[in-house]
Amino acid sequence: MLEKLASKSGKAGIIALPTCSTPVVLSAKENTMAIKITKNSKAFTIISSYSSPYANFREILDELTDLTTNIDGEECMIGGDFNSQSPRWGYRDEDSRGKQLQEFIAEKHIFLLNSSDSPPTFEHNNT
């Protein structure tokens, strides 16, 4: 049976497959969801996050900082829609959110899986 877990706003979520152990909810904040699963006696944390373009981006980064600090040394994967722009993930220019997110990535020694030649997941039509 699939486990569907979501943040308080319902905008960030994780689906845990039945092949994993029962997920343990580490945090369910307004726009961030974190679970821990165990597979073959190895713990792994999964974090999902969403930041509206109008939200205080520092609050999202603070939530992620708290979560990643609390799991220090364990393997972790963060997935999110941060509404940030950077050439590192396919945008022509960098905005302030992109700069802040890149600083977070560097500070936490996170390996970025996005490809710079991947198109953005959403583009506005300016017609």
Side-chain angles (χ1 to χ4, degrees), residues 59-74:
E59 289 178 10
I60 295 293
L61 292 178
D62 288 346
E63 286 182 11
L64 292 174
T65 297
D66 288 346
L67 288 168
T68 55
T69 300
N70 293 334
I71 58 162
D72 192 37
E74 293 181 9

Side-chain angles (χ1 to χ4, degrees), residues 53-120:
Y54 311 105
N56 180 339
F57 194 56
R58 186 75 247 163
E59 289 178 10
I60 295 293
L61 292 178
D62 288 346
E63 286 182 11
L64 292 174
T65 297
D66 288 346
L67 288 168
T68 55
T69 300
N70 293 334
I71 58 162
D72 192 37
E74 293 181 9
E75 291 191 24
C76 173
M77 180 175 72
I78 302 171
D81 179 350
F82 298 103
N83 282 296
S84 63
Q85 297 181 14
S86 170
R88 288 195 63 199
W89 46 86
Y91 286 89
R92 189 176 347 195
D93 299 311
E94 178 180 82
D95 63 5
S96 64
R97 286 170 168 246
K99 183 176 182 341
Q100 291 176 70
L101 187 55
Q102 286 197 81
E103 289 169 356
F104 174 82
I105 289 168
E107 178 184 302
K108 296 294 182 181
H109 307 288
I110 294 172
F111 181 76
L112 185 65
L113 294 176
N114 288 60
S115 172
S116 61
D117 61 351
S118 295

